[in-house]
Amino acid sequence: MFSKSCQYAIRAVLYLADKGKDGQCVGVKEIAETLEVPGPFLAKLLQQLSRNQLIGSTKGPHGGFCMTSAHLQASLIRVIECIDGPEVFSSCVLGLPACNAANPCPLHYQSLAYKQGMLKILKDKTIAEVAQQVPEIV
């Protein structure tokens, strides 16, 4: 359902929720190596999350990315919408441009219920709650 970019961003945010809380900075290299994702690509995603105030960042030799208590209280849906956009929950699962209630694709109604359920869950879950429920971030 989510792009590879979004999956990387979610994993990075959950990693930061564990390792970069309380303002403790974690470098891109450490995150990328631990999560086994491409460093330059992850850096761009983290910068986008930082610009949207979903994570904190500090420049310099001891800089990196971190999370404050305010970041941890953001809902996970904000990370998804930041990377994949809000249309991820309203677009056709088959990628058809004219799929809607008036002109449904073969999977429209089944996927609609699933997407609405996921949307509710993701709006109600904070980053901190999800991070606590993930047994192993990596």
Coordinates of all heavy atoms in Angstrom, one line a residue, residues 45-85:
L45 N 14.8 11.7 2.5 CA 13.6 11.4 3.2 C 13.6 12.1 4.6 O 12.6 12.7 5.0 CB 13.3 9.9 3.3 CG 13.1 9.2 2.0 CD1 13.0 7.7 2.3 CD2 11.8 9.6 1.3
L46 N 14.7 12.0 5.3 CA 14.8 12.6 6.6 C 14.7 14.1 6.5 O 14.1 14.7 7.4 CB 16.1 12.1 7.3 CG 16.1 10.6 7.7 CD1 17.5 10.2 8.1 CD2 15.1 10.3 8.7
Q47 N 15.3 14.7 5.5 CA 15.3 16.1 5.3 C 13.8 16.5 5.1 O 13.4 17.6 5.6 CB 16.2 16.6 4.2 CG 17.6 16.4 4.5 CD 18.5 16.6 3.3 OE1 18.1 16.7 2.2 NE2 19.8 16.5 3.5
Q48 N 13.1 15.8 4.3 CA 11.7 16.1 4.0 C 10.9 16.0 5.3 O 10.0 16.9 5.6 CB 11.1 15.1 3.0 CG 9.7 15.4 2.5 CD 9.3 14.6 1.4 OE1 10.1 13.9 0.7 NE2 8.0 14.6 1.1
L49 N 11.1 15.0 6.1 CA 10.4 14.8 7.4 C 10.8 16.0 8.3 O 9.9 16.5 9.1 CB 10.8 13.5 8.1 CG 10.2 12.3 7.3 CD1 10.9 11.0 7.9 CD2 8.7 12.2 7.4
S50 N 12.0 16.4 8.3 CA 12.5 17.5 9.2 C 11.8 18.8 8.7 O 11.4 19.6 9.6 CB 14.0 17.6 9.1 OG 14.4 18.7 9.8
R51 N 11.8 19.1 7.4 CA 11.1 20.3 6.9 C 9.6 20.3 7.3 O 9.1 21.4 7.5 CB 11.2 20.3 5.4 CG 12.5 20.9 4.9 CD 12.5 21.2 3.4 NE 12.1 20.1 2.5 CZ 12.9 19.2 2.0 NH1 14.2 19.3 2.3 NH2 12.5 18.2 1.3
N52 N 9.0 19.2 7.4 CA 7.6 19.1 7.8 C 7.4 19.0 9.3 O 6.4 18.6 9.8 CB 6.9 18.0 7.1 CG 6.6 18.3 5.7 OD1 5.6 19.0 5.4 ND2 7.5 18.0 4.7
Q53 N 8.5 19.2 10.1 CA 8.6 19.2 11.5 C 8.1 17.9 12.2 O 7.5 17.9 13.2 CB 7.8 20.4 12.0 CG 8.3 21.7 11.5 CD 7.5 22.9 11.9 OE1 6.4 22.8 12.5 NE2 8.0 24.1 11.6
L54 N 8.4 16.8 11.5 CA 8.1 15.5 12.1 C 9.2 14.8 12.8 O 9.1 13.9 13.6 CB 7.6 14.5 11.0 CG 6.2 14.9 10.4 CD1 5.9 14.2 9.1 CD2 5.1 14.6 11.4
I55 N 10.4 15.4 12.5 CA 11.6 15.0 13.3 C 12.5 16.2 13.4 O 12.3 17.2 12.7 CB 12.5 13.9 12.6 CG1 12.9 14.3 11.2 CG2 11.7 12.6 12.5 CD1 13.9 13.3 10.5
G56 N 13.4 16.2 14.3 CA 14.3 17.3 14.4 C 15.7 17.0 13.8 O 16.0 15.9 13.5
S57 N 16.4 18.1 13.4 CA 17.7 17.9 12.8 C 18.7 18.9 13.4 O 18.3 20.0 13.7 CB 17.6 18.0 11.3 OG 17.3 19.3 10.9
T58 N 19.9 18.5 13.4 CA 21.0 19.4 13.9 C 22.2 19.2 12.9 O 22.5 18.1 12.6 CB 21.5 19.0 15.3 OG1 20.4 19.0 16.2 CG2 22.5 20.0 15.8
K59 N 22.7 20.4 12.4 CA 23.9 20.3 11.5 C 25.1 20.2 12.3 O 25.2 20.5 13.5 CB 23.9 21.5 10.6 CG 22.7 21.6 9.7 CD 22.7 22.8 8.8 CE 21.5 22.8 7.9 NZ 21.5 23.9 7.0
G60 N 26.2 19.9 11.6 CA 27.5 19.8 12.2 C 28.1 18.5 12.4 O 27.4 17.5 12.2
P61 N 29.3 18.4 12.9 CA 30.0 17.1 13.1 C 29.3 16.1 14.0 O 29.4 14.9 13.9 CB 31.4 17.4 13.5 CG 31.3 18.8 13.9 CD 30.2 19.5 13.3
H62 N 28.6 16.7 15.0 CA 27.9 15.9 16.0 C 26.4 16.0 15.8 O 25.6 15.7 16.7 CB 28.2 16.3 17.4 CG 29.7 16.2 17.7 ND1 30.3 14.9 17.8 CD2 30.7 17.1 17.8 CE1 31.6 15.1 18.1 NE2 31.8 16.4 18.1
G63 N 26.0 16.4 14.6 CA 24.6 16.6 14.3 C 23.9 15.3 13.8 O 24.5 14.2 13.9
G64 N 22.7 15.4 13.4 CA 22.0 14.2 12.9 C 20.5 14.5 13.1 O 20.1 15.7 13.1
F65 N 19.8 13.5 13.3 CA 18.3 13.6 13.4 C 17.9 13.1 14.8 O 18.5 12.2 15.3 CB 17.6 12.8 12.3 CG 17.9 13.4 10.9 CD1 19.0 12.9 10.2 CD2 17.2 14.4 10.4 CE1 19.3 13.5 8.9 CE2 17.4 15.0 9.2 CZ 18.5 14.5 8.4
C66 N 16.8 13.7 15.3 CA 16.3 13.3 16.6 C 14.8 13.5 16.7 O 14.2 14.0 15.8 CB 17.0 14.1 17.7 SG 16.7 15.9 17.5
M67 N 14.3 13.1 17.9 CA 12.9 13.3 18.1 C 12.7 13.9 19.5 O 13.3 13.5 20.5 CB 12.1 12.0 18.0 CG 12.3 11.4 16.6 SD 11.0 10.2 16.2 CE 9.6 11.2 16.0
T68 N 11.8 14.9 19.6 CA 11.4 15.4 20.9 C 10.1 14.8 21.3 O 9.5 14.0 20.5 CB 11.2 17.0 20.7 OG1 10.1 17.2 19.9 CG2 12.4 17.7 20.2
S69 N 9.6 15.1 22.5 CA 8.4 14.5 22.9 C 7.2 15.0 22.0 O 6.3 14.2 21.8 CB 8.1 14.9 24.4 OG 8.1 16.3 24.5
A70 N 7.3 16.2 21.5 CA 6.3 16.7 20.5 C 6.3 15.8 19.3 O 5.2 15.5 18.7 CB 6.5 18.2 20.2
H71 N 7.4 15.5 18.8 CA 7.5 14.7 17.6 C 6.9 13.3 17.8 O 6.2 12.7 17.0 CB 9.0 14.5 17.1 CG 9.6 15.7 16.6 ND1 10.9 16.1 17.1 CD2 9.2 16.7 15.8 CE1 11.2 17.2 16.5 NE2 10.2 17.6 15.7
L72 N 7.2 12.8 19.0 CA 6.7 11.4 19.3 C 5.2 11.4 19.5 O 4.6 10.3 19.3 CB 7.4 11.0 20.6 CG 8.9 10.7 20.6 CD1 9.4 10.5 22.0 CD2 9.1 9.4 19.7
Q73 N 4.6 12.5 19.7 CA 3.1 12.5 19.9 C 2.4 12.7 18.6 O 1.1 12.7 18.6 CB 2.7 13.6 20.9 CG 3.2 13.2 22.3 CD 2.8 11.8 22.8 OE1 1.7 11.4 22.7 NE2 3.8 11.1 23.2
A74 N 3.1 13.0 17.5 CA 2.5 13.1 16.2 C 1.9 11.8 15.8 O 2.4 10.7 16.1 CB 3.5 13.6 15.2
S75 N 0.8 11.8 15.0 CA 0.2 10.5 14.5 C 1.0 10.0 13.4 O 1.6 10.8 12.6 CB -1.3 10.7 14.2 OG -1.4 11.6 13.1
L76 N 1.1 8.7 13.2 CA 1.8 8.1 12.2 C 1.3 8.5 10.8 O 2.1 8.5 9.8 CB 1.8 6.6 12.4 CG 2.8 5.8 11.5 CD1 4.3 6.2 11.8 CD2 2.7 4.3 11.8
I77 N 0.1 8.8 10.7 CA -0.5 9.2 9.4 C 0.3 10.4 8.8 O 0.4 10.6 7.6 CB -2.0 9.5 9.5 CG1 -2.6 9.7 8.1 CG2 -2.3 10.8 10.3 CD1 -2.7 8.4 7.4
R78 N 0.8 11.3 9.7 CA 1.5 12.5 9.2 C 2.8 12.1 8.4 O 3.1 12.7 7.5 CB 1.8 13.4 10.4 CG 0.6 14.1 10.9 CD 0.9 15.3 11.8 NE 1.7 16.2 11.1 CZ 2.6 16.9 11.8 NH1 2.9 16.8 13.0 NH2 3.4 17.8 11.1
V79 N 3.4 11.0 8.9 CA 4.7 10.6 8.2 C 4.3 10.1 6.8 O 4.9 10.4 5.8 CB 5.4 9.5 9.0 CG1 6.5 8.9 8.2 CG2 5.8 10.0 10.3
I80 N 3.2 9.3 6.7 CA 2.7 8.7 5.5 C 2.3 9.8 4.5 O 2.7 9.8 3.3 CB 1.6 7.7 5.7 CG1 2.2 6.5 6.5 CG2 1.0 7.2 4.4 CD1 1.1 5.7 7.2
E81 N 1.5 10.7 5.0 CA 1.1 11.8 4.1 C 2.2 12.7 3.7 O 2.2 13.3 2.6 CB 0.0 12.6 4.9 CG -1.3 11.9 5.0 CD -2.4 12.6 5.7 OE1 -2.1 13.6 6.5 OE2 -3.6 12.3 5.5
C82 N 3.2 12.9 4.5 CA 4.4 13.7 4.2 C 5.2 13.1 3.0 O 5.6 13.8 2.1 CB 5.3 13.8 5.4 SG 6.9 14.7 5.1
I83 N 5.3 11.8 3.0 CA 6.1 11.1 1.9 C 5.2 10.7 0.7 O 5.5 11.0 -0.4 CB 6.8 9.8 2.5 CG1 7.7 10.2 3.7 CG2 7.6 9.1 1.4 CD1 8.8 11.2 3.4
D84 N 4.1 10.0 1.0 CA 3.2 9.5 -0.1 C 2.1 10.4 -0.5 O 1.4 10.2 -1.5 CB 2.7 8.1 0.2 CG 3.7 7.0 0.0 OD1 4.8 7.3 -0.6 OD2 3.4 5.9 0.3
G85 N 1.8 11.4 0.3 CA 0.7 12.3 0.1 C -0.6 11.7 0.6 O -0.8 10.5 0.8

